[in-house]
Amino acid sequence: MTPYRIAALAHAFAPHEGLAEALLPFATEAGDGAHDPAHILRVFRNAMRIHAEEGGDGRILAAAVLLHDCVAVEKSSPLRSQASRLAAERASALLAERGWSADDREAVAHAVLTHSFSAGITPETTEARILQDADRLDAIGMIGAARCFYIAGRMGSALYDVLDPLAEERPLDDRSFAIDHFPAKLFKLADGFQTATGRRLAAERHDRLQSVLDQFLSEI
C-alpha cells in the first residue's frame, strides 16, 4: 500500500490509529486476498467487539491483530503449521525496533503464536484468546465461505466432486474440493472458541455458514 492509503486506512483502527499507521506496512505480504488489509481490519473489529466485553490490554491486542499475518505461508505449503511461529518471531523483532519492552513483545508474540488453527497451541492470556476468536470469526459465516472459495481457487481446487459432493463414499479432500473444507475444518471452529463473547458470535456465523452450504448443495 502507498503511504497515503496506509494513513487513510489507519483511521479505521481507532483508538489505535498511530499504532496501525506504524505497523500496517508490515501487516501482510502481498498476493493473498484472504489475508489482506481488509482481513486485518475485520479481525481488528471482531477483536475490539470481544475486548469490550472480555477486557484485556487493548494496545497488546491491537498490535497482535496487526501483525498476526505478517509472514505469509500458503495453505499448501509444508511449512503451514509453522506460519504463526514465524509471524510471532517477526512481530517481536518489529516491536523491538520500535522500543517495545520485552514483556510487551512477549505478550504480542504469544497471541500471534497461538492464534492459528494449524499451530494447535492453547492461548494462555486474555489477549491471545481474543485474537484467536477474532481471527476464527473471519473463517466462518459469509466471509468465511467467500474466503474458502477464494483460497480454493488460488490452490487450483475444484468446487466439488461431481460424483460425490458430500463425500459419502470417499474421504474428505479439501485440497481437491472446496466444499470439503466446510466439514473438514470450518464446521469444527465454532466449538473451539475461547471467550463467551466469541462463542456467542461464532454460533451466529456457524448458522450462516451452514446456510451457505445448504443453498450451494440445493443448486447442484
Side-chain angles (χ1 to χ4, degrees):
M1 288 191 296
T2 65
Y4 173 80
R5 286 180 63 82
I6 289 170
L9 180 57
H11 290 291
F13 289 81
H16 301 285
E17 302 97 319
L19 184 61
E21 189 163 2
L23 298 181
L24 275 170
F26 312 98
T28 63
E29 296 184 340
D32 182 357
H35 299 88
D36 59 0
H39 166 69
I40 301 297
L41 180 56
R42 291 192 303 270
V43 174
F44 176 79
R45 287 171 171 164
N46 293 339
M48 291 298 107
R49 185 173 180 183
I50 299 171
H51 168 59
E53 297 188 37
E54 303 287 340
D57 186 317
R59 176 172 171 265
I60 296 293
L61 179 59
V65 168
L66 285 158
L67 296 175
H68 78 277
D69 280 337
C70 66
V71 173
V73 180
E74 287 285 353
K75 294 284 188 182
S76 56
S77 170
L79 294 176
R80 181 61 190 171
S81 64
Q82 299 298 313
S84 64
R85 179 184 60 80
L86 297 170
E89 291 172 356
R90 187 174 188 217
S92 182
L94 288 167
L95 296 176
E97 292 171 2
R98 285 152 184 79
W100 282 51
S101 71
D103 286 347
D104 286 352
R105 296 198 310 270
E106 183 178 350
V108 172
H110 174 70
V112 173
L113 174 66
T114 61
H115 87 275
S116 170
F117 180 89
S118 301
I121 304 172
T122 301
E124 297 179 355
T125 65
T126 299
E127 297 79 20
R129 288 189 285 271
I130 292 173
L131 175 58
Q132 187 181 101
D133 282 3
D135 188 55
R136 291 187 183 189
L137 281 173
D138 208 52
I140 55 179
M142 298 299 294
I143 287 290
R147 293 177 73 209
C148 174
F149 289 120
Y150 171 86
I151 292 169
R154 292 191 78 219
M155 293 174 61
S157 305
L159 290 177
Y160 60 96
D161 182 348
V162 65
L163 296 178
D164 188 4
L166 290 174
E168 294 173 325
E169 298 180 1
R170 62 175 177 84
L172 290 169
D173 180 5
D174 58 354
R175 295 201 174 194
S176 298
F177 307 112
I179 68 168
D180 280 24
H181 196 56
F182 285 62
K185 176 181 176 182
L186 302 185
F187 285 148
K188 299 175 182 178
L189 293 178
D191 291 333
F193 276 67
Q194 300 289 324
T195 68
T197 308
R199 286 191 290 274
R200 185 182 75 244
L201 298 173
E204 298 171 0
R205 296 201 185 194
H206 179 86
D207 290 345
R208 294 175 196 166
L209 190 65
Q210 182 66 63
S211 177
V212 170
L213 182 59
D214 290 345
Q215 292 177 67
F216 184 97
L217 292 170
S218 76
E219 294 186 8
I220 65 173

